[in-house]
Structure formats: structure tokens, C-alpha cells
Amino acid sequence: MDERFVIVGGDAAGMSAASKAKRDEPGLDVTVFERGEWVSYAACGMPYYVKGEIEDLEDLVSVTPETFREERDIDLRTGHEVVEVDPDAETVTVERDGERFEQSYDHLLIGTGARAIEPPFDGIDLEGVFTIHDMDAADAIEDDVSDDLERAAIVGGGYVGVEMAEALAGRGLEVSMFEMLPTILAPFGETAAGVVENHLREQGVSLHLETAVEGFTGDGRVEAVELEDEESVPADVVIVGVGVAPNVSLAEDAGIEIGETGAIATDEYGRTNDENVYAAGDCAEERHVVTGEPAHVPLGLTANRAGRAIGQTVAGSPTETGDIAGTAIVKAFELGASRTGIVDEDEAREAGFDPVSVTIDAASRANYYPGASELTVTLVADRESERVLGASLVGQEGVKRIDTVATALHAELTVSELENLDLAYAPPFSPVWDPILTAAKVLNGQLE
């Protein structure tokens, strides 16, 4: 196969695509340009490296550059930044150490990922103020946190904020969290968020909800977080985790269509408006399984799965990248929280549904079996079609059960069909009626 597959970006989507394409079609020339030095790493593990539970940053690397080059025969070039794409000429312009060259392609994958949003806070450039979205940032934070520091501030109550609160508390710092919304973990729904909020407070985290941060002050190094009304909260280190934005400028400059979410628009095969250009990972849209509309939910499995499918397509076997449900799970000290689909009823109404929901508390195991704990389940459905729309779970164990609901979403199951699933039972693992089945049974009663 005398063709070249060029990939921009060497993390989840890019390296999954490269590996699958080369495996399926060994004669394909596969070249990956990565502007940094890290490739194929587990970004989700970075908070646990900062906490100290992961001893070596290298442990987060799934496959080394040497393995890609020597064992998989992939032309991986780190320290190479693609600065321009010319779809008409089918070339990319690459910069390395101030010098530029062009590389032609037959197929191109844009996997430029996303970047941490840096609001225009005063003092955001002070020493001790960080975002955490790549390995170098994680290493810098871990190196910065020392016995001399006492107080940490987290700006943003999403996944990163909650995980970093645990990480920095685990390093012995007093942690304050600032969130503009009424709750943290907004996509998980008010019930799950409320349980996590109470647990964070029990762990000593000071929560400041519905609180806008104005900036940071300090003499060279950050000393305080400045809030509205001239209120000031001392801080020796600050993590800004207010979300991410897709890196789309390279694609946009090349005339590649940007979707309504702000990410690169793609079809079911990950193809853009240019038939030879694909996009995947945190920079690209996918179709939401519940609404059928484009969505941008940057998660690890989404990137890996889409990249692998595109690699297979380029190698000659067209493969759909798959719909997404936004299934996610997060650890908050001794609690876990998970979610999938549409949990918020207002969001469901905006999508054209008539939502009805229930929240139940159930035991994670048989009540009489040691170690059983309370698991809170919120289940949402459409009243007219009775189709399951989404769910959230929160508890000390068992929140991975969210995968059952995610499967129900992809299968477009009704609440009754979910209730009648034959799920496993044994006292160490579940009550006779699994909490998911119990929630479906209660919700089905409201629909009848």
C-alpha cells in the first residue's frame, strides 16, 4: 500500500490510529508529529502522581516512543509541531528547532487535543499558579508542592478540581475550592454533587460555591486568591481547573469545518468536510447517543476508540467511531461518583424530552454482608417513550454500575427493559435487586 498516513498529535487518538493502521496495513507509511516529548500517556493518572500514589511519572506512559518506532514501525517524531495544513496540496508544514519543512499525505488525522482554559485572572502568571493538562504541568506541580507550603486553592469544581483537592490534601495542605456554579460536578446532577460536597467538607476541604475568583496576588509567588467584594483567601499554591477548550486553530486555518460545539465537526467515521482529513480526540465532536446531536465530551475512551476506528478506516476497513454517552467516573477521597447520558432535567427538556426521574438509596451489597454501604442512584427517563435518558451514582463503592445504564442508553432500552435485565447477584457484590434494577423499578412505577 503505497500511501502515507500523517497524524498530528501523539496522544490517545493519534497513537491509537497509528498503531491500528499499521497493524492492519503494514505497507502503509505512518508518520506522527508530536510537538512535545510525551506520547501515549494516561492524563487521568496525573492527580495521583501529584498525590504520591504513582511513584514515577514514567509509569503513566502506556507505550514508549521507542516501542512505537522500533516494534511498530511508526515514524514518530517528537519535538515536531505542525503549524499549517494545506488540504489542496495535501501537505502539512512542520517546524522543528526553528526550521520548517513540508510533508505530503494521502490521509491526515488531526488529533491536536484540548488545552486547559486560562481565564484572564490578574496574577495568573505568578509562581505557584498552575493548570494541569499535560505531563510537564503535573511534574511541575509535584515538584512545587513541598513541606514549606500550607494552603492550596482549587479554582473550579469539575473532575480536575475534585481530584486535585484530594491530591493536595493527601500532601498535607489545607484545601479551599472555589466554584462559580451552585454545585460542584454539575454534569453529575444536584443529588450526586450534594453528597460529594458534604464528603469534601468532612475531609476538611473548604468549599466556596457561587463564588467568582477575581485573580491572585503575591510578591513573585502567589499568596492569596482575590474574590469579589475585596475578600481575600490565603494560598501558597493554586490549581486552575475551569475546563478545557479544543485546539482547533490548525484545522480552522485550513478551512476544516468547526462544529456548533466549538470542536471539529466530523461524520460517523471521524471524517471532516475534507474527505482525506479526519479528526479525533479532545479536539473533535462525536454524536451523542441520547440526542443524536453533535457533542464535545473530552474523555479518554472516546479518544482511543475514535482513533482506533480511524486507523482501521484508513487501512481499508471503514469503521464508525461510535456514539458517546458522556459516561464518566470520579474519585473524591472515600467516595466515587459516576454519570452517563442526560442527568439534568432542564437539559433533557432542551433536547426535546419530557423527563421524569427518581432518586433512591440502596445497599451496595446484601445488607447483612460486611462492608455494605449506601449507594445513591438517580435515574432519568422520557415520559412519552419511557426510554432511559441517563443516570448518576454516588457512594463508597459500586459506582462502576453506571456502565449498565450506559449500555442501556446505547441499546435505547426503556425503563421496563432495564428493570428486567438479568444482573448478577451474590451477597458480597450486590443485593438480590441490584440498585440499578431498584431505581428502574421505582421509576417504572411513576411511568405506569
Side-chain angles (χ1 to χ4, degrees), residues 103-140:
Q103 173 66 62
S104 63
Y105 66 82
D106 296 288
H107 313 277
L108 175 68
L109 169 60
I110 299 176
T112 45
R115 65 191 181 281
I117 295 173
E118 294 189 8
F121 293 140
D122 291 336
I124 197 168
D125 294 328
L126 286 170
E127 182 183 351
V129 178
F130 300 94
T131 60
I132 178 168
H133 195 64
D134 59 37
M135 296 279 270
D136 291 332
D139 204 28

Side-chain angles (χ1 to χ4, degrees), residues 184-402:
I184 63 171
L185 295 176
F188 289 73
E190 291 184 8
T191 298
V195 174
V196 175
E197 287 166 8
N198 289 336
H199 184 63
L200 291 181
R201 294 186 180 101
E202 291 171 358
Q203 298 296 321
V205 177
S206 177
L207 292 183
H208 302 257
L209 303 178
E210 297 184 274
T211 301
V213 169
E214 296 289 324
F216 316 109
T217 56
D219 185 12
R221 183 180 180 91
V222 66
E223 297 174 5
V225 177
E226 300 299 322
L227 309 177
E228 295 177 322
D229 302 323
E230 299 183 354
E231 182 181 356
S232 179
V233 178
D236 302 311
V237 62
V238 174
I239 308 298
V240 178
V242 297
V244 299
N247 292 321
V248 299
S249 59
L250 184 69
E252 190 171 25
D253 291 345
I256 302 301
E257 181 181 348
I258 306 303
E260 59 189 58
T261 70
I264 301 171
T266 61
D267 67 9
E268 65 270 31
Y269 296 99
R271 189 178 285 110
T272 69
N273 58 308
D274 185 300
E275 64 177 359
N276 294 322
V277 179
Y278 300 80
D282 292 358
C283 66
E285 293 182 337
E286 296 286 348
R287 188 176 68 176
H288 198 282
V289 70
V290 176
T291 67
E293 298 297 322
H296 179 240
V297 186
L299 294 170
L301 176 60
T302 301
N304 278 279
R305 186 181 62 182
R308 187 177 191 276
I310 291 168
Q312 196 165 342
T313 295
V314 169
S317 299
T319 304
E320 295 186 7
T321 59
D323 294 343
I324 62 170
T327 309
I329 191 167
V330 64
K331 181 178 181 294
F333 292 89
E334 304 304 319
L335 280 183
S338 59
R339 54 94 59 214
T340 191
I342 300 177
V343 180
D344 182 79
E345 291 194 14
D346 289 337
E347 181 182 348
R349 291 188 189 94
E350 290 176 4
F353 299 106
D354 181 10
V356 56
S357 67
V358 297
T359 297
I360 61 107
D361 294 321
S364 61
R365 313 179 187 185
N367 279 314
Y368 56 82
Y369 193 88
S373 60
E374 185 174 87
L375 184 65
T376 300
V377 182
T378 297
L379 187 64
V380 185
D382 176 48
R383 187 180 299 277
E384 181 178 353
S385 66
E386 300 188 358
R387 177 186 171 190
V388 178
L389 300 180
S392 68
L393 284 74
V394 61
Q396 292 184 0
E397 67 171 9
V399 297
K400 195 69 167 62
R401 283 177 166 98
I402 198 68

Side-chain angles (χ1 to χ4, degrees), residues 5-86:
F5 182 23
V6 170
I7 297 167
V8 184
D11 199 13
M15 299 318 300
S16 292
S19 296
K20 182 59 176 172
K22 195 67 179 180
R23 186 181 304 116
D24 285 9
E25 182 46 71
L28 181 68
D29 286 328
V30 180
T31 301
V32 180
F33 295 113
E34 165 55 47
R35 66 180 179 181
E37 298 300 326
W38 297 95
V39 300
S40 192
Y41 60 87
C44 295
M46 294 188 299
Y48 307 106
Y49 168 71
V50 173
K51 185 179 180 182
E53 291 182 334
I54 308 299
E55 184 174 345
D56 194 325
L57 193 62
E58 297 279 355
D59 292 339
L60 299 181
V61 176
S62 301
V63 183
T64 65
E66 292 72 26
T67 298
F68 284 118
R69 293 170 183 139
E70 298 170 9
E71 297 182 16
R72 302 189 182 182
D73 193 26
I74 293 169
D75 182 11
L76 169 61
R77 306 188 202 181
T78 56
H80 287 67
E81 182 177 6
V82 174
V83 295
E84 184 179 350
V85 175
D86 186 340

Side-chain angles (χ1 to χ4, degrees), residues 368-443:
Y368 56 82
Y369 193 88
S373 60
E374 185 174 87
L375 184 65
T376 300
V377 182
T378 297
L379 187 64
V380 185
D382 176 48
R383 187 180 299 277
E384 181 178 353
S385 66
E386 300 188 358
R387 177 186 171 190
V388 178
L389 300 180
S392 68
L393 284 74
V394 61
Q396 292 184 0
E397 67 171 9
V399 297
K400 195 69 167 62
R401 283 177 166 98
I402 198 68
D403 291 341
T404 300
V405 183
T407 302
L409 297 182
H410 282 274
E412 298 187 9
L413 297 188
T414 65
V415 177
S416 179
E417 289 169 332
L418 177 60
E419 178 188 347
N420 287 317
L421 290 180
D422 184 17
L423 302 185
Y425 156 66
F429 305 106
S430 173
V432 174
W433 282 90
D434 186 271
I436 296 296
L437 301 182
T438 299
K441 180 170 58 174
V442 174
L443 183 54

